[in-house]
Amino acid sequence: MRLRASLAALALVAGMILIPRVAQAEDPQARCGAASMVAQTLPGGTRWRMCWHIDPQTGLVLEDVSVAYRSAPEPMRVLESITLGQLNVPYDSGQTEWNDITSFGFGGDAMQELTGRECPDGSRRAPYGGAARVLCVTADATGPAQRVNDTAEQTLYTREGHDLVLRTVSKVGWYEYLTEYRFGDGGRITARLGATGDLSPNDYTIAKAGWPIGEGQQDNAAAHHHNAIWRVDFDLAGGGGERVEQLDSTPTGRQGRNSAILELTRTPIPAEANLTTANRRWWRVVSTTSVNTDGHPRSYDLALGAGDVYESRPETRPDVSVTQQRACEKFATFNLDPECGARSVLQYVNGEQLTDPVMWVRIGFHHVPRDEDQSPMHTHWQGFDLNPRDFTATNPLAPSARATINGRP
Ligand SMILES: [Cu+2]
């Protein structure tokens, strides 16, 4: 035990010495040069690296996303790419419906140049070949990330967390949308969309389809959904080839000594599918080639955020779709590429075996306007998390005295 502890301490020191070398080596397989790369080490030693560009339709696109820890300094690929696949906005009045990504686009003229005030303590970046600084990169403190008061050792271990944050703003009609990706020092990836700007001045309706926001009961601003669909292409540990699993913990109906007995079922999703959430149900994408030092395959879990499902269109009914990766399958709906043939994600799901899965993640937000939305509107957020599961054999941010704790003590 003592030998293992001192070896771990040595490894930690070696890891700290290695960090500058990692910084220089970066990802030799990355498809971008320094001008389109964000590579940053957070205070805890976690280093995220990725390529970025602005797509005229989907806005901010991140590619070749990799993570390295002080305790595991070799960068490991997590994502091939992530971007929005659609933003559908139907109004409850039945009078208006927009598809902001395919009809207008988050890039091009919609992409807003950011002032220094919008990116405090961060760096503003222009896309390769562009002049306008549209991307804000910051390292945000996220509060207490881990704590243990080890009474035997009389030591308190605490750590403040940090996220690397990339954010752009797209002005589409009356709304101003914040596209944000957060990369946590513990490996979590958060994708979210914020909406601010102004309510549409053209969408006032009957009382039952909206909310009175002017004096008295006259001016009913129409309620509406913001149905966001993200396209997530995984590349776990850079090996290529992942499988998808659904996990459900279900009560067996049997009682143990003190509590109900539940059982965890793993259901492989071998072919393209539309998936719908249920209590205690979640999904993960699992590497078929890469294991951690415990021998467990590396994976990432999907944690859906709170959302409102828009059931009036078939494309927005499932929570998640998994499809085999095809470059031409770019948008969740109104995919008009004539080479592609399929126009929507429901057509992409046609029985193909999944060897390179893409996840289409839907998070809807039903916005019932309120007096405070005038003006400007307070930003409302929607999104989801991707959490590492067995990417490393133990907590990659463990204090050195706890680095050897792995399994039954
Ligand atoms: Cu809204």
Side-chain angles (χ1 to χ4, degrees):
M1 190 68 184
R2 185 168 293 166
L3 177 67
R4 281 173 64 194
S6 57
L7 277 175
L10 261 177
L12 188 79
V13 171
M16 290 166 88
I17 293 164
L18 275 172
I19 280 178
R21 281 182 50 207
V22 171
Q24 283 154 22
E26 295 301 345
D27 182 351
Q29 293 172 346
R31 70 191 85 181
C32 66
S36 303
M37 188 178 284
V38 171
Q40 194 160 327
T41 305
L42 292 166
T46 301
R47 183 170 182 81
W48 285 98
R49 196 217 53 82
M50 63 206 67
C51 297
W52 73 281
H53 71 271
I54 302 298
D55 180 273
Q57 303 305 133
T58 70
L60 180 59
V61 182
L62 305 181
E63 294 174 311
D64 301 342
V65 178
S66 67
V67 65
Y69 300 104
R70 182 172 285 164
S71 56
E74 196 63 41
M76 278 187 291
R77 193 75 75 85
V78 181
L79 299 180
E80 182 90 20
S81 69
I82 186 167
T83 191
L84 277 166
Q86 188 55 282
L87 177 58
N88 168 252
V89 187
Y91 281 72
D92 292 10
S93 58
Q95 300 299 310
T96 308
E97 181 167 18
W98 304 110
N99 287 288
D100 287 338
I101 293 297
T102 48
S103 300
F104 302 101
F106 266 29
D109 293 342
M111 187 58 62
Q112 300 286 292
E113 184 158 20
L114 302 178
T115 65
R117 274 188 304 162
E118 292 177 272
C119 190
D121 305 320
S123 68
R124 286 173 292 151
R125 303 271 305 264
Y128 179 71
R133 291 188 287 176
V134 300
L135 177 72
C136 171
V137 181
T138 56
D140 290 6
T142 55
Q146 62 191 38
R147 179 188 199 275
V148 64
N149 186 3
D150 191 323
T151 47
E153 286 185 28
Q154 296 199 321
T155 309
L156 175 66
Y157 299 103
T158 63
R159 191 180 63 77
E160 292 299 293
H162 286 83
D163 281 351
L164 173 66
V165 184
L166 281 74
R167 186 187 302 127
T168 59
V169 183
S170 304
K171 186 172 173 65
V172 181
W174 303 97
Y175 268 80
E176 308 202 6
Y177 285 107
L178 283 63
T179 301
E180 189 179 274
Y181 296 97
R182 309 182 72 94
F183 298 89
D185 47 17
R188 187 204 67 247
I189 298 174
T190 300
R192 57 179 199 157
L193 178 74
T196 177
D198 273 310
L199 292 167
S200 160
N202 308 320
D203 289 282
Y204 283 81
T205 184
I206 56 167
K208 280 189 172 174
W211 194 267
I213 60 165
E215 215 177 298
Q217 303 298 316
Q218 301 307 307
D219 297 335
N220 296 294
H224 50 273
H225 280 80
H226 300 264
N227 297 316
I229 309 179
W230 283 265
R231 183 187 193 277
V232 191
D233 184 2
F234 289 87
D235 185 16
L236 297 182
E242 291 91 18
R243 56 191 170 81
V244 180
E245 270 179 11
Q246 176 172 297
L247 296 107
D248 290 276
S249 291
T250 321
T252 56
R254 286 177 282 127
Q255 187 75 13
R257 191 166 10 141
N258 289 306
S259 57
I261 298 173
L262 281 73
E263 280 178 0
L264 179 64
T265 325
R266 300 175 186 220
T267 311
I269 311 284
E272 295 178 319
N274 296 310
L275 306 167
T276 300
T277 196
N279 194 26
R280 285 184 299 267
R281 170 174 294 169
W282 48 283
W283 300 276
R284 68 171 188 154
V285 176
V286 192
S287 173
T288 55
T289 57
S290 179
V291 294
N292 69 18
T293 55
D294 276 353
H296 301 153
R298 295 193 158 100
S299 73
Y300 258 76
D301 294 349
L302 170 65
L304 290 172
D308 301 302
V309 176
Y310 183 66
E311 60 282 84
S312 302
R313 282 209 178 280
E315 297 89 345
T316 46
R317 256 176 238 154
D319 295 292
V320 181
S321 300
V322 282
T323 63
Q324 176 71 359
Q325 200 285 130
R326 281 178 191 277
C328 78
E329 294 177 351
K330 184 174 172 184
F331 306 114
T333 57
F334 295 95
N335 196 65
L336 301 182
D337 182 346
E339 302 280 299
C340 206
R343 283 173 62 100
S344 99
V345 63
L346 296 186
Q347 292 168 344
Y348 309 159
V349 178
N350 60 1
E352 266 181 281
Q353 294 294 300
L354 291 171
T355 56
D356 183 4
V358 166
M359 247 185 196
W360 301 82
V361 184
R362 298 168 183 79
I363 302 287
F365 174 74
H366 187 237
H367 179 195
V368 180
R370 52 182 177 150
D371 277 343
E372 287 85 349
D373 286 347
Q374 288 176 308
S375 167
M377 188 192 315
H378 191 76
T379 306
H380 53 75
W381 291 99
Q382 60 201 97
F384 63 94
D385 289 339
L386 300 169
N387 290 304
R389 173 173 294 272
D390 309 341
F391 223 65
T392 49
T394 59
N395 178 356
L397 300 170
S400 54
R402 295 202 149 229
T404 54
I405 298 176
N406 183 19
R408 191 187 296 243

Coordinates of all heavy atoms in Angstrom, one line a residue, residues 112-121 124 133 136 138 167 169 176 178:
Q112 N -22.7 37.8 -34.2 CA -22.5 39.2 -33.6 C -21.0 39.3 -33.2 O -20.4 38.4 -32.6 CB -23.4 39.4 -32.4 CG -24.8 39.3 -32.7 CD -25.3 40.5 -33.4 OE1 -25.4 41.6 -32.9 NE2 -25.7 40.3 -34.7
E113 N -20.5 40.5 -33.5 CA -19.1 40.8 -32.9 C -19.3 41.2 -31.5 O -20.3 41.8 -31.1 CB -18.5 42.0 -33.7 CG -17.1 42.3 -33.2 CD -16.4 43.1 -34.3 OE1 -17.0 43.8 -35.1 OE2 -15.1 43.1 -34.2
L114 N -18.4 40.6 -30.6 CA -18.5 40.8 -29.2 C -17.7 42.0 -28.7 O -16.5 42.1 -29.1 CB -18.2 39.5 -28.4 CG -19.0 38.3 -28.8 CD1 -18.5 37.1 -28.1 CD2 -20.5 38.5 -28.6
T115 N -18.2 42.7 -27.8 CA -17.4 43.8 -27.1 C -16.7 43.2 -25.9 O -17.0 42.1 -25.5 CB -18.4 44.9 -26.6 OG1 -19.2 44.4 -25.6 CG2 -19.3 45.4 -27.7
G116 N -15.7 43.9 -25.5 CA -14.9 43.5 -24.3 C -15.8 43.3 -23.1 O -15.6 42.4 -22.2
R117 N -16.9 44.1 -23.0 CA -17.8 44.0 -21.8 C -18.5 42.7 -21.8 O -19.0 42.2 -20.8 CB -18.8 45.1 -21.9 CG -18.3 46.4 -21.2 CD -19.5 47.4 -21.1 NE -20.1 47.7 -22.4 CZ -21.3 48.2 -22.6 NH1 -22.1 48.5 -21.5 NH2 -21.8 48.4 -23.8
E118 N -18.7 42.1 -23.0 CA -19.4 40.8 -23.0 C -18.5 39.6 -22.8 O -19.0 38.5 -22.7 CB -20.0 40.6 -24.4 CG -21.1 41.5 -24.8 CD -21.6 41.3 -26.2 OE1 -21.0 42.0 -27.1 OE2 -22.5 40.6 -26.4
C119 N -17.2 39.9 -22.6 CA -16.2 38.8 -22.5 C -15.2 39.2 -21.4 O -14.0 39.2 -21.7 CB -15.6 38.5 -23.8 SG -14.6 37.0 -23.9
P120 N -15.7 39.5 -20.2 CA -14.8 39.9 -19.2 C -13.8 38.8 -18.8 O -14.2 37.7 -18.7 CB -15.7 40.3 -18.0 CG -17.0 39.6 -18.2 CD -17.1 39.4 -19.7
D121 N -12.6 39.2 -18.6 CA -11.5 38.3 -18.2 C -11.3 37.1 -19.2 O -10.8 36.1 -18.9 CB -11.7 37.7 -16.8 CG -11.9 38.8 -15.8 OD1 -11.2 39.8 -15.8 OD2 -12.8 38.6 -14.9
R124 N -11.3 37.3 -26.8 CA -12.2 37.3 -28.0 C -11.4 36.9 -29.2 O -10.3 37.3 -29.4 CB -12.8 38.7 -28.2 CG -13.8 39.0 -27.1 CD -14.3 40.5 -27.3 NE -13.2 41.4 -26.9 CZ -13.1 42.6 -27.4 NH1 -13.9 43.1 -28.3 NH2 -12.1 43.4 -27.0
R133 N -14.4 39.7 -34.1 CA -14.1 38.8 -32.9 C -15.5 38.3 -32.4 O -16.2 39.1 -31.6 CB -13.3 39.5 -31.9 CG -11.9 39.7 -32.4 CD -10.9 40.2 -31.3 NE -11.2 41.6 -31.0 CZ -10.6 42.3 -30.0 NH1 -9.7 41.7 -29.3 NH2 -10.8 43.5 -29.8
C136 N -16.1 34.2 -27.6 CA -15.5 34.6 -26.3 C -15.1 33.3 -25.6 O -15.8 32.3 -25.5 CB -16.6 35.3 -25.5 SG -16.1 35.5 -23.7
T138 N -13.5 31.9 -22.0 CA -13.2 32.2 -20.6 C -13.0 31.0 -19.8 O -13.4 29.9 -20.3 CB -14.4 33.0 -20.0 OG1 -15.6 32.2 -20.1 CG2 -14.6 34.4 -20.6
R167 N -18.3 30.8 -26.3 CA -19.7 31.4 -26.5 C -19.7 32.3 -27.7 O -18.8 33.1 -27.9 CB -20.1 32.2 -25.2 CG -21.5 32.7 -25.2 CD -21.8 33.6 -24.1 NE -21.5 32.9 -22.8 CZ -20.8 33.4 -21.8 NH1 -20.2 34.6 -22.0 NH2 -20.6 32.8 -20.7
V169 N -22.8 34.7 -30.1 CA -24.1 35.3 -30.1 C -24.6 35.5 -31.5 O -23.9 36.0 -32.3 CB -24.2 36.7 -29.3 CG1 -25.6 37.2 -29.3 CG2 -23.6 36.6 -27.9
E176 N -31.9 37.1 -29.7 CA -30.5 37.0 -29.7 C -30.1 35.7 -29.0 O -30.4 35.6 -27.8 CB -29.8 38.2 -29.1 CG -30.4 39.5 -29.8 CD -29.6 40.7 -29.7 OE1 -28.5 40.7 -29.2 OE2 -30.1 41.8 -30.2
L178 N -27.6 32.8 -27.5 CA -26.2 32.5 -27.1 C -26.0 31.0 -27.3 O -26.7 30.2 -26.8 CB -26.1 32.9 -25.6 CG -26.0 34.3 -25.1 CD1 -27.2 35.1 -25.5 CD2 -25.7 34.4 -23.6

